């Protein structure tokens, strides 16, 4: 995000989680998403290896 003075900052998103509002940076969300995708790939590989055993 760029403010009127051309300062760059990490963008935040807010969402409702049950009974409170949480704020998370876009940076954190993207890294968590990538981490989850990598873990899914490992699980899929393991299923394939385990199936062949």
């Amino acid at each position: 995000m760029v403010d009127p003075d051309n300062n760059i900052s990490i963008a935040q998103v807010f969402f409702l989680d049950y009974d409170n509002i949480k704020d998370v940076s876009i940076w954190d969300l993207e890294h968590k998403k990538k981490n989850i995708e990598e873990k899914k790939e490992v699980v899929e590989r393991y299923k394939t290896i385990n199936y062949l055993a």
Side-chain angles (χ1 to χ4, degrees), residues 16-51:
L16 183 60
D17 183 30
Y18 297 105
D19 60 347
N20 56 5
I21 296 176
K22 290 188 175 185
D23 62 325
V24 180
S25 71
I26 298 297
W27 179 265
D28 291 339
L29 285 177
E30 286 300 314
H31 281 84
K32 285 180 185 178
K33 179 180 169 184
K34 184 177 178 182
N35 190 6
I36 289 170
E37 290 171 359
E38 289 172 355
K39 287 180 181 179
K40 283 182 179 179
E41 185 177 326
V42 169
V43 168
E44 290 300 319
R45 287 183 190 171
Y46 177 76
K47 284 182 182 178
T48 302
I49 293 169
N50 193 25
Y51 174 75

Side-chain angles (χ1 to χ4, degrees), residues 2-8:
V2 179
D3 66 11
D5 296 327
N6 290 330
N7 295 317
I8 298 174

